[in-house]
Amino acid sequence: MGTAASPTTAGPSALREWVLIAAMTALAHPAALLIGTAVLTAVVALRAWVPFAWIVLPVLAFTAIPLVTHRPRLTGHAVRPAEEPELTTLVRQVAEGLGFRFPLLVRIVAEPEVAVLPTRTSGFRTFTLFLGLPLVRRLAAAELAAVMAREFADEQHAGGRRTQLLRRARGSLVDSLEKRFRAPAALAERLLRGSRTHIWPLALAADADAAAVAGTPGVRGALTKVGTVDAAFHVLGDTWTEVLGEDGDYPEDLYEALDAALADPYVAPRLAAAAADDEDDPMAIAIEPPLAVRLAALPEHLGHGWDASSPVPLRDADTLERRCVRDLVTAHDVPGEPRPVRLLDLAPERFEASTREAASRLVHATGQDSVRTAMAAAADAVADGTWMQLARALDRETGRLPRPLRSAAARAVLVGYLDCVIGGALLRAGWARASRWTSSVLVDPAGALFDVEELVEHAIASGDPTRIRELLPHFTEGAVC
């Protein structure tokens, strides 16, 4: 396994990258850019720079210093070889396979993420590998090795100062797109698309190096599963934690429940499809190529003997799970001393408060006085093409996004609301759940499966809400609210 990382092919010029860094940083902070421009204009006009230096210097410092001095926080919980020998052995083997010869720390974090970041320990330069507990639990050993190998390779390819600054500048520009006062969308899109030609080849090179060390099957499985686990964590896990937190509770079996949901035949395929649907990117925001492109670009390499069917065993899994759950409770700011409950012992109806809230918002947004008439108005909006206005009434943030992003955001908002309200109404009308983890797939009175989300998506895409209207008789006045 002594495969060193392959050298990155000759990339774009350093000058072009510095220009992109400066331009994206400036556009990410338009207020600072305007102040700087005004000061520069005054200096040229008045031919005196000293009085204005005291204005522009703090502005430049506020904009540039965070970009240059960024340091990661040591979140999560340290893992030592004596405590988790199987996991730390796998980490060491992968690092050696890539020729990654730096002092290395390992920390388990609560969310499904993997990252290798430079840190300092006792004054010495080290690297820390952050491993998300959901991924350690769900990925086979060979897939986890592939994920780690890809992060080590990415650090080797993209760990240079200029590349890191380019990524941070790009990230700050993407973050600024959600602000009310932001750069013109066309200009931001042009810079993001231009910087993508520098970033994407590095991602593909890291994938290829990971395949050389961990085997192509492991990388392929990891790339496919990571997005699914991430979607489950944020779609389901965040909802569970927030709903329970409102009552002063927290899910002590969160990770066990996520495992159960991901094993559900009506949940995992939907989440996997959503994670793989990443080609619609009108503003070139994605830092990595679409999943299909990455999978197609993988070179063929055999595996290297790591278990391809089972996760790496954790000796102290219960303690790590308890600590990570507490981290999430703290992050969600649950008031007081929260009480532990088991998700697997709760009825699915415990989480129907979101259904009632969605129905209430739909009634208010449509100006109707019942859920049935509100759903009829929503069907009318789909038919006459005014559904984006309805989505904006449901979630005002969609109207504040850059214009190229509004259509997809509005569609996601409306699908989410109508799916939630229709599913809740049908359950109240006597239909059954096909899964305890979702109300989007139901069993109708005749025993047939009925996919609510698919129905809503087809109605919006085709502009034909006939099937939604056919469900209106199931909406009794008290069906949801």
Side-chain angles (χ1 to χ4, degrees), residues 390-417:
L390 175 57
R392 191 154 52 244
L394 289 166
D395 186 348
R396 295 187 181 278
E397 293 300 319
T398 60
R400 296 171 183 166
L401 292 172
R403 190 173 299 277
L405 301 179
R406 291 177 191 172
S407 177
R411 180 178 287 104
V413 166
L414 191 59
V415 168
Y417 271 90

Side-chain angles (χ1 to χ4, degrees), residues 106-278:
V106 181
R107 299 184 73 87
I108 296 289
V109 295
E111 301 196 357
E113 58 186 39
V114 181
V116 175
L117 298 174
T119 51
R120 297 193 73 83
T121 304
S122 302
F124 294 96
R125 184 171 186 259
T126 61
F127 283 85
T128 299
L129 171 64
F130 296 89
L131 288 174
L133 183 59
L135 298 179
V136 177
R137 290 174 58 92
R138 292 296 304 176
L139 299 183
E143 295 165 341
L144 185 63
V147 169
M148 292 189 293
R150 195 205 171 280
E151 292 304 313
F152 288 131
D154 183 72
E155 175 60 34
Q156 291 173 322
H157 285 291
R161 188 67 164 170
R162 190 172 68 247
T163 303
Q164 290 298 312
L165 289 174
L166 181 65
R167 283 184 170 181
R168 291 174 199 159
R170 197 177 196 279
S172 65
L173 180 56
V174 170
D175 291 342
S176 73
L177 296 178
E178 297 183 359
K179 298 177 181 177
R180 184 181 295 274
F181 187 52
R182 58 175 178 262
L187 186 54
E189 186 269 336
R190 186 172 180 178
L191 287 173
L192 290 172
R193 198 169 297 280
S195 63
R196 196 168 68 177
T197 61
H198 299 245
I199 301 296
W200 278 17
L202 300 177
L204 295 176
D207 289 345
D209 284 356
V213 170
T216 303
V219 177
R220 187 177 292 115
L223 291 178
T224 303
K225 288 184 181 178
V226 166
T228 305
V229 175
D230 184 76
F233 185 90
H234 291 293
V235 173
L236 298 176
D238 285 353
T239 299
W240 298 336
T241 305
E242 290 171 6
V243 171
L244 293 177
E246 293 173 357
D247 297 328
D249 300 329
Y250 74 91
E252 64 175 352
D253 61 338
L254 173 68
Y255 296 106
E256 187 179 352
L258 284 172
D259 287 343
L262 285 167
D264 188 291
Y266 302 110
V267 174
R270 304 167 74 85
L271 294 174
D277 184 17
D278 57 357

Side-chain angles (χ1 to χ4, degrees), residues 129-478:
L129 171 64
F130 296 89
L131 288 174
L133 183 59
L135 298 179
V136 177
R137 290 174 58 92
R138 292 296 304 176
L139 299 183
E143 295 165 341
L144 185 63
V147 169
M148 292 189 293
R150 195 205 171 280
E151 292 304 313
F152 288 131
D154 183 72
E155 175 60 34
Q156 291 173 322
H157 285 291
R161 188 67 164 170
R162 190 172 68 247
T163 303
Q164 290 298 312
L165 289 174
L166 181 65
R167 283 184 170 181
R168 291 174 199 159
R170 197 177 196 279
S172 65
L173 180 56
V174 170
D175 291 342
S176 73
L177 296 178
E178 297 183 359
K179 298 177 181 177
R180 184 181 295 274
F181 187 52
R182 58 175 178 262
L187 186 54
E189 186 269 336
R190 186 172 180 178
L191 287 173
L192 290 172
R193 198 169 297 280
S195 63
R196 196 168 68 177
T197 61
H198 299 245
I199 301 296
W200 278 17
L202 300 177
L204 295 176
D207 289 345
D209 284 356
V213 170
T216 303
V219 177
R220 187 177 292 115
L223 291 178
T224 303
K225 288 184 181 178
V226 166
T228 305
V229 175
D230 184 76
F233 185 90
H234 291 293
V235 173
L236 298 176
D238 285 353
T239 299
W240 298 336
T241 305
E242 290 171 6
V243 171
L244 293 177
E246 293 173 357
D247 297 328
D249 300 329
Y250 74 91
E252 64 175 352
D253 61 338
L254 173 68
Y255 296 106
E256 187 179 352
L258 284 172
D259 287 343
L262 285 167
D264 188 291
Y266 302 110
V267 174
R270 304 167 74 85
L271 294 174
D277 184 17
D278 57 357
E279 295 188 9
D280 184 15
D281 188 13
M283 291 197 65
I285 289 173
I287 196 171
E288 296 170 339
L291 178 60
V293 173
R294 297 176 67 186
L295 292 175
L298 286 176
E300 287 298 329
H301 294 282
L302 297 176
H304 288 270
W306 291 305
D307 192 336
S309 59
S310 302
V312 176
L314 293 175
R315 301 284 182 94
D316 202 11
D318 292 342
T319 299
L320 287 172
E321 289 172 26
R322 284 195 301 270
R323 290 175 177 175
C324 287
V325 168
R326 296 297 298 189
D327 290 345
L328 294 171
V329 172
T330 301
H332 281 83
D333 197 23
V334 177
E337 183 59 33
R339 300 176 298 273
V341 297
R342 282 185 55 81
L343 280 165
L344 294 174
D345 295 338
L346 297 177
E349 290 73 23
R350 176 72 182 272
F351 301 96
E352 284 187 0
S354 60
T355 301
R356 293 189 289 272
E357 181 182 351
S360 177
R361 290 180 68 90
L362 184 64
V363 168
H364 182 267
T366 55
Q368 302 298 315
D369 57 6
S370 73
V371 180
R372 179 190 290 174
T373 55
M375 185 57 65
D380 292 341
V382 170
D384 62 26
T386 60
W387 59 268
M388 285 188 63
Q389 289 91 314
L390 175 57
R392 191 154 52 244
L394 289 166
D395 186 348
R396 295 187 181 278
E397 293 300 319
T398 60
R400 296 171 183 166
L401 292 172
R403 190 173 299 277
L405 301 179
R406 291 177 191 172
S407 177
R411 180 178 287 104
V413 166
L414 191 59
V415 168
Y417 271 90
L418 298 190
D419 173 31
C420 186
V421 175
I422 293 172
L426 295 179
L427 285 171
R428 295 296 181 90
W431 295 36
R433 291 174 178 268
S435 164
R436 66 165 292 161
W437 304 112
T438 178
S439 61
S440 295
V441 184
L442 305 177
V443 179
D444 69 15
L449 284 176
F450 185 83
D451 193 319
V452 182
E453 185 178 39
E454 183 181 86
L455 177 147
V456 174
E457 288 177 341
H458 179 268
I460 295 175
S462 65
D464 180 8
T466 301
R467 295 183 66 196
I468 293 179
R469 288 175 173 147
E470 290 172 351
L471 297 173
L472 291 178
H474 296 284
F475 282 72
T476 60
E477 292 305 315

